[in-house]
Amino acid sequence: MFHALRAKRSLVTRPLASSRRAFLTGGAAVAGALVVGFHLDLPGLRAEAAHGPDLSKVPTRPNAFVRIAADDSVTVIIKHLDMGQGNTTGLATILADELDADWAQVRTAFAPADASLYNNLAFGPIQGTGGSSAVSNSWIQLRKAGAAARAMLVAAAAAEWKLPAAEITVQKGLIRHAGAGKEARFGAFAAAAAAQPVPENPRLKDPKEWTLIGTKLPRLDSGIKTNGSAVYALDIRRPNQLTAVVARAPRFGATLKSVDDAAARKVAGVVDVVRIPSGVAVLARDTWSAMKGREALALTWDETGAERRSSEQQLADYKAMAAKPGLVAARQGDAAGAIKGAAKVLEAEFSFPFLAHAPMEPLNATIEKAADGGYDIHAGSQFQTIEQVVTAQILGTTPDKIRINTVWAGGSFGRRATASADYIAEAAAILKATGEKQPIHLVWTREDDITGGYYRPAAYHRIRAGLDAKGGIAGWEHSIVGKSIIIGTAMEAMLVKDGVDSTTVEGAADTPYALPAYRFEVHNARDAVPVLWWRSVGHSHTAQAMEVFIDELAHAAGQDPVAYRLGLLQKAPRLSGALKLAAEKAGWGTKPGKAGQGLGVAAHESFGSYVAMVADVAVDAGKVTVNRIVAAVDVGVAVNPDVVRAQVEGAVGFALSAVLRNRITFKDGAVQETNFDSYEPTRMSEMPKVEVHIVPSSEAPTGIGEPGVPTLAPAIANAIFAATGQRLRSLPLDLAALRGV
């Protein structure tokens, strides 16, 4: 799939100059190009970190967000990784609209790794993609870039035509003065515009002036991904490169004791075998030979500190932790006292397994030492700044000497964004161990990643709530057990407070439901299993626990689940709005057509976006068929409505396998799942009809890559209850419990 035909030349994938000055002067002087962008005032934004950055204050300074060439092409420089979510199209749309470009002339190119120019404004001083932040953090930045470039083109035209700039219009890539009969395309004034001063505060369009934002546009990556010319990391071939695979410990926490590589070195195509911190790397002329060489290694592991528990014991340990007092994540009033005096008390527990990311393109990267003493990396890079720093430390150089050429990535779901830069670090360690003589292409097989990668943390929730005589919630106690993603990483100081990892409790401790008294606690599990954010991070389990239990409370109160939620969301108008729209479009309140069929609802806020889903399911002798998902989403301004819909549809397909069957299980500390045969993705035959309705909004855009995931599981679980009267709380759903239904 990824070793496809390549175009001889592509503006979309050609690496850009890594030097800021070379990019600015080289582009303008050599190609007659106009380059405009903005540089972030990091100290100013850090001062506002407690409340989030004020993106409207991003200053107007030239750098590298748009290149307008003499051939009329408009290349938007994309600082984020596109791993299939379509942010290249979204980001280009924002800039192109303010520029008044013709969509047919718009191209994209991935930015070089340079946090001084391309940092994520939502993250702080690092370049990276995640948290569904690509469009939201770039919204004002790229609007200003487009507006400034437009103003500079107009100024150049006014100077040459000797006409007032106020009388010159720009539309679909055409600069025109109607009265004088003058017109020209962008390319004619690109070089002259580059010499114009950059306006500090260019006028941004009123929303009613938008011509591209909010409209149906063809995705810019569809063509190259269809004809095979898109370049992925697996496509990279450097002169004289070697392919490397790594033998890693069979259990997390084990260390290498000894290696006998004599047989491996005899395998045809194998060139070298080296030890690195994570294991033993076999290098060969091709991937197959490297894999066969790895199979021939004789390895002995020291498992003294290895994880040896099976999944059942891990869960038992989590339950034991939940029975004890934990760290307080959030509290208000006397929850215990309110529950003690309640008219009715309900309790529930939820368990969630480890989950693999399993992106379609396995992890891989190419690294080589350049003639100038620097290093070049080609990868689907998600956290460029972290990868620069880690690689520089391994190779004994400085981050500015690490040039990262970001290419298309075949999925990630969080896997490529590690604080340790794990697979990039391995590639660098192999290069160092081999004397930096040849380019190294490190390849992880799918089995490598599923059995030895990073996972969505397993989690256990225990909830207890009391209802008053009218069915209202009197008090809520909630304990969450899970391994922290952040503790022990460089991000701990930013995301962990008083021992509480915000990514463990998000979606629960900050619930929008009006609870009069509550107490949320967390227990940080300790084990050797490496964990990482998985699409929607903590929301992937907190939404299931919150929304299923809220549903239980509604039924215990004898109230309609939608009406009950709306009563608790009076101070959350945007989530209420999404919930009302989803219920309306799904025909909530109508009776099911036949026995064993039911509707279930869930609503959840994540990453600044609001999503409600209604699931229509049918249950027959334990077989669950999800017929239809109706989703309503509020993402602020929907820059590309088709991309928004596609992301929600994709989220349903992605999450459905985790709802129905996916889990990573351990036996004596060893992962049992290995590939798609035992960790099976959603099949086309299982995919329900998905309807996506976008709430009209004038708010600044928020993310949609992740928010479609959390609501799916609880909507389905609640629909199963409506169809059968059986509550399935934990994930994946225990369908065996329905066989008699």
Side-chain angles (χ1 to χ4, degrees):
M1 176 177 179
F2 297 99
H3 295 282
L5 297 173
R6 299 176 185 75
K8 292 182 179 179
R9 178 184 172 125
S10 171
L11 280 173
V12 179
T13 58
R14 187 175 69 245
L16 301 176
S18 60
S19 164
R20 178 184 179 189
R21 181 171 179 81
F23 180 73
L24 288 169
T25 60
V30 177
L34 165 61
V35 180
V36 179
F38 305 93
H39 177 67
L40 176 66
D41 178 9
L42 290 174
L45 290 188
R46 276 199 293 268
E48 299 172 1
H51 307 288
D54 182 353
L55 301 183
S56 67
K57 294 182 179 179
V58 176
T60 307
R61 299 174 187 163
N63 61 38
F65 281 109
V66 57
R67 170 187 288 166
I68 302 174
D71 66 359
D72 253 2
S73 63
V74 174
T75 301
V76 181
I77 311 308
I78 305 299
K79 67 180 183 180
H80 292 285
L81 174 65
D82 193 322
M83 46 205 126
Q85 76 273 44
N87 65 26
T88 47
T89 295
L91 298 174
T93 301
I94 296 168
L95 189 147
D97 200 319
E98 292 287 353
L99 179 61
D100 274 316
D102 187 331
W103 190 244
Q105 72 188 120
V106 177
R107 310 286 187 269
T108 64
F110 290 117
D114 184 347
S116 69
L117 294 176
Y118 301 115
N119 62 296
N120 187 315
L121 308 187
F123 287 2
I126 69 167
Q127 184 177 350
T129 305
S132 297
S133 64
V135 168
S136 61
N137 95 94
S138 302
W139 172 242
I140 297 298
Q141 186 177 54
L142 292 182
R143 288 183 68 192
K144 283 188 173 182
R150 181 187 188 278
M152 293 163 75
L153 286 166
V154 168
E160 180 164 322
W161 293 341
K162 296 180 173 53
L163 293 167
E167 297 176 3
I168 295 174
T169 62
V170 183
Q171 186 177 25
K172 288 190 174 182
L174 192 66
I175 307 166
R176 179 185 292 118
H177 189 288
K182 298 280 189 178
E183 67 176 38
R185 299 200 63 80
F186 285 176
F189 287 110
Q196 291 290 325
V198 179
E200 286 295 322
N201 294 293
R203 187 188 82 85
L204 303 183
K205 287 183 177 180
D206 185 276
K208 63 178 177 288
E209 299 176 84
W210 291 336
T211 58
L212 299 176
I213 294 170
T215 69
K216 183 176 181 178
L217 296 171
R219 276 180 58 155
L220 295 175
D221 56 340
S222 294
I224 59 171
K225 289 180 177 178
T226 302
N227 65 26
S229 62
V231 175
Y232 291 81
L234 274 175
D235 293 316
I236 298 297
R237 296 292 181 271
R238 304 298 300 158
N240 204 30
Q241 80 175 29
L242 295 176
T243 298
V245 297
V246 176
R248 302 173 187 86
R251 289 179 174 84
F252 294 113
T255 57
L256 184 64
K257 182 182 293 185
S258 66
V259 56
D260 182 348
D261 59 17
R265 291 181 180 276
K266 293 178 182 178
V267 173
V270 170
V271 174
D272 201 358
V273 179
V274 296
R275 291 179 65 157
I276 59 173
S278 60
V280 179
V282 178
L283 297 98
R285 301 293 181 193
D286 55 80
T287 307
W288 179 254
S289 298
M291 292 168 62
K292 299 304 289 184
R294 181 172 63 174
E295 290 175 8
L297 290 171
L299 304 171
T300 304
W301 300 93
D302 180 355
E303 298 186 336
T304 304
E307 177 64 60
R308 298 304 299 262
R309 291 175 298 172
S310 294
S311 295
E312 296 78 10
Q313 184 59 54
Q314 290 173 338
L315 179 57
D317 291 346
Y318 280 21
K319 289 183 177 182
M321 292 180 71
K324 301 175 181 178
L327 299 170
V328 177
R331 64 183 169 189
Q332 176 177 289
D334 181 8
I339 294 173
K340 185 177 181 180
K344 184 181 293 187
V345 177
L346 281 76
E347 297 184 20
E349 60 180 355
F350 301 78
S351 62
F352 303 87
F354 291 100
L355 290 173
H357 303 76
M360 185 60 69
E361 180 193 19
L363 300 172
N364 71 107
T366 301
I367 184 169
E368 62 184 307
K369 186 170 186 178
D372 63 1
Y375 298 86
D376 291 307
I377 296 173
H378 290 80
S381 181
Q382 192 167 347
F383 272 7
Q384 289 93 339
T385 303
I386 291 176
E387 290 159 6
Q388 282 182 302
V389 171
V390 171
T391 303
Q393 290 174 343
I394 292 170
L395 297 175
T397 186
T398 53
D400 61 293
K401 297 293 179 61
I402 309 299
R403 295 181 290 263
I404 297 179
N405 301 284
T406 300
V407 295
W408 299 97
S412 174
F413 316 116
R415 180 62 186 89
R416 301 176 196 274
T418 63
S420 64
D422 67 320
Y423 71 105
I424 301 289
E426 276 193 340
I430 296 168
L431 183 71
K432 181 178 181 180
T434 55
E436 305 180 356
K437 297 187 296 294
Q438 295 174 253
I440 302 298
H441 185 196
L442 170 67
V443 175
W444 284 50
T445 65
R446 196 170 312 285
E447 289 84 356
D448 290 341
D449 197 33
I450 290 182
T451 63
Y454 282 76
Y455 306 102
R456 195 283 303 272
Y460 173 78
H461 291 239
R462 191 179 67 181
I463 312 177
R464 186 168 173 259
L467 297 179
D468 61 28
K470 294 182 179 180
I473 299 175
W476 182 294
E477 291 183 326
H478 194 145
S479 182
I480 304 174
V481 183
K483 184 176 181 180
S484 167
I485 294 170
I486 305 299
I487 292 176
T489 74
M491 301 177 188
E492 183 172 348
M494 180 172 57
L495 296 175
V496 178
K497 183 178 181 181
D498 298 328
V500 177
D501 179 348
S502 61
T503 70
T504 301
V505 300
E506 61 185 0
D510 55 354
T511 179
Y513 290 121
L515 306 177
Y518 56 81
R519 183 183 179 91
F520 290 87
E521 295 184 348
V522 66
H523 300 261
N524 295 317
R526 303 286 182 178
D527 54 54
V529 180
V531 295
L532 184 63
W533 22 62
W534 183 88
R535 193 173 182 179
S536 78
V537 201
H539 299 281
S540 66
H541 54 89
T542 59
Q544 170 72 0
M546 294 295 296
E547 285 302 294
V548 170
F549 198 60
I550 285 285
D551 214 68
E552 294 191 46
L553 296 179
H555 284 280
Q559 298 184 32
D560 174 80
V562 170
Y564 193 77
R565 285 173 169 82
L566 290 173
L568 295 168
L569 292 172
Q570 294 181 17
K571 294 184 179 180
R574 295 181 69 182
L575 188 57
S576 294
L579 177 56
K580 291 175 183 176
L581 181 59
E584 174 195 340
K585 296 297 184 181
W588 185 264
T590 59
K591 293 184 178 180
K594 57 183 179 180
Q597 188 171 353
L599 296 181
V601 66
H604 194 73
E605 175 191 352
S606 62
F607 305 96
S609 296
Y610 306 83
V611 178
M613 283 187 182
V614 175
D616 178 345
V617 308
V619 182
D620 183 14
K623 178 177 172 58
V624 174
T625 302
V626 183
N627 297 313
R628 178 179 176 229
I629 297 294
V630 178
V633 301
D634 182 343
V635 294
V637 173
V639 174
N640 299 113
D642 273 5
V643 173
V644 171
R645 294 187 181 94
Q647 279 300 291
V648 177
E649 292 165 358
V652 169
F654 174 83
L656 187 57
S657 59
V659 175
L660 299 179
R661 59 178 164 268
N662 278 174
R663 67 180 85 197
I664 290 294
T665 59
F666 291 83
K667 182 177 181 181
D668 298 327
V671 176
Q672 299 304 290
E673 292 69 30
T674 59
N675 206 315
F676 287 148
D677 57 339
S678 50
Y679 194 81
E680 186 180 353
T682 300
R683 294 185 175 274
M684 290 296 291
S685 59
E686 299 172 309
M687 191 66 187
K689 178 182 180 182
V690 181
E691 300 173 20
V692 182
H693 303 277
I694 301 172
V695 178
S697 176
S698 59
E699 298 289 337
T702 50
I704 194 57
E706 299 176 84
V709 169
T711 48
L712 182 72
I716 292 173
N718 293 336
I720 289 173
F721 173 78
T724 68
Q726 296 269 33
R727 277 288 176 197
L728 303 183
R729 300 183 181 92
S730 298
L731 296 180
L733 299 176
D734 182 11
L735 303 183
L738 301 174
R739 286 176 185 163
V741 177

